[in-house]
């Protein structure tokens, strides 16, 4: 979205990130396979159509997530980006009820209420400052929904690839590349690229490659976190990241924000951490109940 570039092709940028991630996975896998014997390497990668079809639902959600993230960032400032897509925890609660029929406690719902209140206050303050973009808000809400679905589907699809984050990253990004092509054609991005005057610029491709490498690292670490913890833990750490990101963005762009604007961010972050604390207590209670029952049985001799 840089004025010096004038490239209105967000899907192409995302497509390139996915293509580079798939190429990095394959290249690193081949590199370790050709390495010295006895050296621990990455699992061999080969494209299995059956596995690819099984990963396809996750890939569709993944496309929605990264595309809506990029489009949200296109229309809103980096500082507001955290609030713009802060409803992930709220969607977690809704999807848990709709898909898994899991109910949520009153305290957790109150925490979600604080997040929603912070979101609306942030929207109101952006409007007061004259920087509100309804397109950015729409894509932020869509991104929140897709982030929640992505974490759920990642946990669901992992057994298909034998629990290997490396294989999941490879299949997911290959599928995404294929799905992006018709979307790019539908939105006329091939025509935009044809008329783009910096398509042969080394600096442009250098920045594109750097973004792709960061995308690869983020995707791999995200998958590892969901694998070894839970979708909830992943979303909470994302909230902590967003806090640091907001402060850094305001400092870097030398912006001046109102007290209520900062209050909206605090409400979102406070509600997110309160929700995590409540869910953590509930999970600990569930884990302790079987231990208490077994100790009571042993004491009574049953």
């Amino acid at each position: 979205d840089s004025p010096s570039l004038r490239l209105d092709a967000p899907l192409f940028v995302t497509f390139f990130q996915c293509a580079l991630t798939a190429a990095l996975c394959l290249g690193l896998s081949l590199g370790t396979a050709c390495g010295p014997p006895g050296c621990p390497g990455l699992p061999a990668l080969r494209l299995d159509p059956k596995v690819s079809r099984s990963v396809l639902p996750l890939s569709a959600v993944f496309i929605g997530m990264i595309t809506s993230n990029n489009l949200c960032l296109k229309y809103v400032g980096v500082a507001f980006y955290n609030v713009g897509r802060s409803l992930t925890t709220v969607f977690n609660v809704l999807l848990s009820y709709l898909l898994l029929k899991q109910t949520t406690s009153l305290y957790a719902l109150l925490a979600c209420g604080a997040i929603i209140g912070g979101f609306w206050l942030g929207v109101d303050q952006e409007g007061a400052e004259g920087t509100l973009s309804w397109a950015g808000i729409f894509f932020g809400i869509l991104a929140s929904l897709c982030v929640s679905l992505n974490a759920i589907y990642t946990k669901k699809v992992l057994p298909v690839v034998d629990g290997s984050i490396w294989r999941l990253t490879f299949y997911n990004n290959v599928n995404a590349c294929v799905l992006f092509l018709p979307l790019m054609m539908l939105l006329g991005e091939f025509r935009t690229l044809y008329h783009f005057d910096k398509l042969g610029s080394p600096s442009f491709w250098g920045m594109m490659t750097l973004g792709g490498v960061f995308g690869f690292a983020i995707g791999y670490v995200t998958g590892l976190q969901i694998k070894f913890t839970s979708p909830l833990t992943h979303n909470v750490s994302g909230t902590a990241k967003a806090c640091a990101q907001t402060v850094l963005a305001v400092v870097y762009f030398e912006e001046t924000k109102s007290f209520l604007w900062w209050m909206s961010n605090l409400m979102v972050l406070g509600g997110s951490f309160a929700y995590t604390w409540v869910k953590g207590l509930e999970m600990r209670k569930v884990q302790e109940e079987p231990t208490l029952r077994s100790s009571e049985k042993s004491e009574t001799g049953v």
Side-chain angles (χ1 to χ4, degrees), residues 177-197:
C177 287
V178 175
L179 293 173
F180 266 125
L181 291 174
L183 290 174
M184 290 165 60
M185 186 177 296
L186 186 67
L187 295 177
E189 291 199 1
F190 287 113
R191 192 184 312 112
T192 303
L193 290 169
Y194 180 77
H195 295 289
F196 182 53
D197 59 348

Side-chain angles (χ1 to χ4, degrees), residues 68-286:
S68 53
N69 270 334
N70 282 358
L71 288 171
C72 177
L73 196 56
K74 176 182 178 180
Y75 291 109
V76 304
V78 178
F80 184 68
Y81 181 65
N82 166 40
V83 175
R85 50 183 299 278
S86 60
L87 299 180
T88 300
T89 302
V90 178
F91 280 118
N92 275 347
V93 172
L94 287 174
L95 292 172
S96 296
Y97 178 75
L98 294 174
L99 301 179
L100 307 175
K101 303 303 179 186
Q102 294 178 352
T103 56
T104 306
S105 67
L106 176 61
Y107 291 116
L109 289 175
L110 289 174
C112 289
I115 296 172
I116 295 172
F119 173 79
W120 281 115
L121 180 60
V123 170
D124 176 71
Q125 289 304 297
E126 283 290 301
E129 293 183 4
T131 55
L132 179 65
S133 166
W134 285 109
I137 297 299
F138 169 76
F139 287 118
I141 294 173
L142 184 61
S144 300
L145 173 62
C146 290
V147 167
S148 181
L149 284 171
N150 183 72
I152 292 170
Y153 274 100
T154 297
K155 201 79 172 178
K156 185 178 180 180
V157 170
L158 269 171
V160 177
V161 291
D162 302 321
S164 170
I165 294 298
W166 201 258
R167 293 183 67 203
L168 181 61
T169 303
F170 175 70
Y171 276 104
N172 199 21
N173 282 275
V174 168
N175 283 350
C177 287
V178 175
L179 293 173
F180 266 125
L181 291 174
L183 290 174
M184 290 165 60
M185 186 177 296
L186 186 67
L187 295 177
E189 291 199 1
F190 287 113
R191 192 184 312 112
T192 303
L193 290 169
Y194 180 77
H195 295 289
F196 182 53
D197 59 348
K198 293 182 177 62
L199 206 58
S201 168
S203 61
F204 168 72
W205 289 109
M207 291 302 293
M208 288 283 286
T209 303
L210 183 62
V213 170
F214 279 125
F216 165 76
I218 290 168
Y220 186 68
V221 172
T222 295
L224 279 178
Q225 187 181 46
I226 294 171
K227 176 182 177 180
F228 289 111
T229 57
S230 68
L232 175 63
T233 305
H234 163 63
N235 292 331
V236 170
S237 68
T239 303
K241 179 270 299 179
C243 178
Q245 176 180 287
T246 300
V247 175
L248 286 171
V250 171
V251 173
Y252 181 81
F253 293 108
E254 299 179 350
E255 297 175 341
T256 303
K257 299 296 183 181
S258 67
F259 172 77
L260 288 177
W261 189 92
W262 284 110
M263 184 59 64
S264 70
N265 278 269
L266 288 174
M267 287 177 68
V268 167
L269 294 168
S272 299
F273 281 116
Y275 178 84
T276 310
W277 182 66
V278 169
K279 295 299 288 185
L281 290 177
E282 291 175 357
M283 291 170 66
R284 193 179 307 155
K285 185 178 179 181
V286 170

